[in-house]
Structure formats: C-alpha cells, structure tokens
Amino acid sequence: MNWTEIEESYESGVYSKRGISIVKGQGATLEDADGRVYIDCVGGQGTTNIGHSHPRWVKAIQNQAEILVNCPEMFSNEQRALYIQELLSAAPQSMNRVFFSNSGTEAMEAAIKFARAFTKRTQVIAAKRGFHGRTMGALSATWNKKYRDPFLPLVPDFSHISFNAIIDLENIHSQTAAVILEIIQGEGGVYPIDGEYLKAVRSKCDQHGVLLIIDEVQTGFGRTGKLFALDHFPVEADILCVAKSIAGGLPMGATLLHEKLGKFETGIHGSTFGGNPLVCAAARETLKILSEEQLIQNAELMGSYFMEELRKIKSPLIRELRGMGLMIGIELKQKVAPTIRKLADHGVLVLPAGLTVLRFLPPLVINKEQIQLVIAALEEVLVEE
Ligand SMILES: *Cc1c(COP(=O)(O)O)cnc(C)c1O
C-alpha cells in the first residue's frame, strides 16, 4: 500500500484525499514522493505565511526544543512572556490581554466563552457563509449546513445574518452577547467585508453593549497585506481570534482581548498545551521574519501583481475575481474539483472555497516567477475547455 492507501484505509474517513504524498517543503514550493515540485498555493491551508521550513524558524524551534517544550500556564516562561509583549504591541492598541490555545476553532471557542462570561448574555450572531471551526461552539457559529446538520442540536441561541447587509443588523439588540465576523470570508468563498458595513456593525454593537468578535484565523499575520486584515479599517474589535500562521506552521491559537474586558475569573477556561514555550518561540521568530523580510509588503505587492495577471486571463469559465493581498478567490461558473486536479497535473496546488471558488493562500514569500507559473497553469486549464 502507498501512503494514500494506508491513510484511506485506516483514517476516520473525514478527509478527501488528492492522491499526492508530500515529503518536503521549501519557501513557496512542495515536493512529492516522486520528486515532483509544485508551487504551493494551499500554504498548509494558510498556516505557512513565512514559507515552508524557513531556516531561522527551524533554528528557533531546534534551540527551544533543547531548552524546554512544555510548561503549563501555572508556571511562567520567558518565551511566553516575551511573545505576549511582542504580539500585543503588534496588535491593535486596545488589545491588552491574550489567551493561548492550539488551533483556530479553540481560539473561537475561547472567544465565545469569554463573550458569554463578560456580557452574561447567551445570544450570538454570526454571518451567513461564515466559517469559524468545527468544535461544537465554533460550529454553532459556522454557517454551512454540510458541517452543521449531522451534529444538531448545536449550542443554543446562535443565529446567522446576511454578510455585508446593513439592513440585517436590526437583529442585533440588548440580548445579544456577541457578533462574530471574518474580515474576508475564507472557506465561504473569499468574500471581503465592506468597510461601511463593518462600521455599521461596530456602532450597532456599541449601541447595545454587544461584543464584536473578529475571526482573523485565516486573514491574520500578513495574509492581506497588513499584519491583521482589520488594520485596513478604522474599526476596533473587542475580541480578535488568530491561529493558522501565528507560529509559522506549528499548531497555535490566540484570543486577543480588548482592555475593556478586563481580567476573567481564574479557572473558567484553560488549555494544557496552550502557550507552550516551543510554539511561543516559533511565533516570536515568525513575527520577526514577517517584519524583517518585509513579507507583509510582499503580500501586498505580489497580491496586486497576481490579481493583475489574473485579470488578463480571458476565460469564459471565470465568473469573478475576489481577494485582498495574497488571499485570492476565482469564482468559476462550474464546480472547481476537476480544475483543482488539472492544476495539480500542471504543478500547482490550490484550495477550493465551497463548490465553485478556487482559493489561493500561497506563502507570502512567493515571487513573480512563481506567480507566472501559476498563471500559465491557470491559462492552460481554464482556456482549454
Ligand atoms: C481555519 C479557520 C478556522 C478553524 O481553524 P482550525 O485551526 O482548523 O480549527 C476558524 N476560522 C477561520 C476563519 C478559519 O479560516
């Protein structure tokens, strides 16, 4: 049996497999078991903004692994303390506390619990097409029926409003604990938020004492051309959730808290692995690499270049191009699964976002030559039919 057959035979079955075994990654490329090199626009589902196996990041992990890997939060640790300072000083100014976990869904779970604890209310409003994770709380905020329906009943008191529809904000009222939004809906199809809408949400939340939870699990750490996608807008979050690229590819999540929330009661939440020194050291190096190697500017530059080149592709199959920085979606007039397979045959790995959107989340180290290879592959597969 090859690796794919073993996994298909003995894993739970929840993942669809592409039949490609990846053995190695470097920068914005991946290599399979046959030695074939791909341009990686999956980017570990958006977890590898600094590129695969960045030498400085590898060194930081090696060093820390020799010193200390696990250190429960009952003890303090230098790497954690320094990372807290560095993260909070890079984050929007009003964020002054943080809770560490190990994934995006956990960052959301903490946000929901903190919002309920702070407001003493239970009603949570999220957006249609939104994706926030797959544990029961985060899944209750997620919209897609395919993920939700097998697990009903979910957490009570969650509802969904139309994204970017100011009229729907009437649903926010004095019983609402929190509103949860992405700045660009990722899984839902790469739909950027409208600035006026975001402002309207903020003022509606202020009017009724509702917390605004922004899910930047996918958009954070330079993806959109700013450290956080929220930095594009003059709007504050009350709770900001990050994960994916926070530690350059190691599992980590963080829930950042606005100063107005103050300190929570001891023991109401926690995580065994959360904030361990290994991921904190990796996250510190990730922040440094993003800034010293100007990867956030590169995301903006390469993102515009990518978009310009995409606009030149004349294909009857393209319905719309959307995105910000290096988070790009191409909506097709047909299902994307066959196109994704053909792109892999042409040496380019991409993600779907729903049934009809191709999603590109390449490492932010991607260069023009690599983008040209992606464009050439797209031209081949989108023009041929
Ligand atoms: C990926 C994602 C999550 C869930 O993250 P996991 O680490 O898979 O639990 C939550 N929100 C958004 C916006 C995401 O893109």
Side-chain angles (χ1 to χ4, degrees):
M1 284 205 276
N2 66 30
W3 310 133
T4 299
E5 286 162 354
I6 294 172
E7 292 179 10
E8 280 186 341
S9 304
Y10 300 113
E11 282 190 340
S12 68
V14 301
Y15 300 109
S16 81
K17 299 279 180 183
R18 296 199 188 178
I20 300 172
S21 290
I22 299 297
V23 291
K24 204 166 137 182
Q26 204 196 11
T29 61
L30 286 173
E31 190 179 319
D32 74 9
D34 301 320
R36 175 129 205 243
V37 175
Y38 300 85
I39 308 293
D40 178 22
C41 293
V42 170
Q45 301 193 143
T47 60
T48 51
N49 287 5
I50 59 169
H52 294 282
S53 297
H54 192 292
R56 285 177 54 182
W57 176 80
V58 170
K59 197 92 222 136
I61 294 169
Q62 282 172 343
N63 290 344
Q64 189 56 39
E66 284 175 12
I67 299 169
L68 183 68
V69 169
N70 276 300
C71 175
E73 291 257 7
M74 67 185 84
F75 303 115
S76 302
N77 176 264
E78 179 190 22
Q79 292 303 321
R80 186 191 301 134
L82 292 175
Y83 184 56
I84 290 170
Q85 286 185 324
E86 291 158 6
L87 177 64
L88 291 178
S89 65
Q93 219 188 343
S94 46
M95 296 290 157
N96 78 344
R97 290 181 185 275
V98 61
F99 173 81
F100 289 125
S101 56
N102 318 285
S103 64
T105 201
E106 284 174 81
M108 289 307 305
E109 215 64 42
I112 294 164
K113 287 176 76 176
F114 287 139
R116 284 184 51 163
F118 180 78
T119 61
K120 313 263 190 297
R121 305 172 185 173
T122 54
Q123 192 194 70
V124 177
I125 296 177
K128 292 179 183 168
R129 278 197 320 247
F131 181 87
H132 304 289
R134 299 166 185 273
T135 53
M136 295 306 262
L139 182 60
S140 305
T142 292
W143 184 68
N144 194 332
K145 280 190 167 2
K146 187 180 164 198
Y147 304 142
R148 298 168 60 87
D149 281 1
F151 303 106
L152 298 174
L154 291 165
V155 178
D157 262 3
F158 277 72
S159 60
H160 294 84
I161 57 175
S162 291
F163 189 64
N164 281 342
I166 291 180
I167 181 111
D168 248 22
L169 300 180
E170 286 164 13
N171 292 292
I172 301 170
H173 53 70
S174 58
Q175 302 300 308
T176 311
V179 173
I180 303 179
L181 292 173
E182 291 160 272
I183 297 299
I184 303 178
Q185 294 187 313
E187 290 282 327
V190 191
Y191 289 94
I193 203 164
D194 180 75
E196 288 309 307
Y197 173 74
L198 183 58
K199 272 193 223 160
V201 174
R202 179 71 268 178
S203 68
K204 201 79 180 173
C205 285
D206 289 340
Q207 191 187 333
H208 295 293
V210 176
L211 298 181
L212 177 57
I213 300 174
I214 297 293
D215 178 352
E216 290 236 32
V217 169
Q218 194 161 145
T219 51
F221 297 96
R223 171 63 53 199
T224 67
K226 302 261 188 205
L227 185 63
F228 299 108
L230 194 58
D231 298 339
H232 292 282
F233 303 95
V235 169
E236 279 190 346
D238 299 312
I239 302 182
L240 186 68
C241 295
V242 287
K244 291 206 162 96
S245 256
I246 182 172
L250 286 190
M252 184 180 199
T255 306
L256 280 67
L257 305 167
H258 192 283
E259 58 196 3
K260 78 182 185 199
L261 301 184
K263 209 173 165 179
F264 285 89
E265 195 187 326
T266 302
I268 66 161
H269 197 49
S271 165
T272 298
F273 284 120
N276 70 72
L278 186 74
V279 295
C280 287
R284 291 187 67 203
E285 199 61 33
T286 299
L287 262 189
K288 277 198 208 121
I289 292 167
L290 283 173
S291 105
E292 287 170 21
E293 300 190 0
Q294 277 139 36
L295 296 185
I296 302 174
Q297 289 92 316
N298 200 56
E300 191 191 349
L301 288 173
M302 290 304 114
S304 332
Y305 178 72
F306 202 150
M307 208 43 126
E308 273 166 37
E309 294 300 295
L310 284 175
R311 285 204 191 94
K312 293 183 195 157
I313 299 178
K314 295 281 170 267
S315 164
L317 300 178
I318 297 178
R319 187 184 300 282
E320 192 175 42
L321 302 173
R322 295 189 288 268
M324 216 188 243
L326 281 171
M327 181 164 177
I328 291 174
I330 306 178
E331 181 164 352
L332 298 186
K333 293 176 186 162
Q334 59 182 36
K335 291 192 176 165
V336 291
T339 309
I340 289 175
R341 273 193 297 276
K342 285 183 208 160
L343 283 170
D345 293 339
H346 284 80
V348 175
L349 301 175
V350 308
L351 282 163
L355 290 177
T356 59
V357 180
L358 295 171
R359 181 171 40 143
F360 299 77
L361 299 174
L364 311 184
V365 298
I366 197 167
N367 60 34
K368 282 192 176 178
E369 292 69 45
Q370 291 167 326
I371 291 173
Q372 270 310 328
L373 293 173
V374 176
I375 296 292
L378 279 166
E379 272 169 346
E380 292 273 336
V381 306
L382 292 179
V383 181
E384 74 187 12
E385 286 163 71

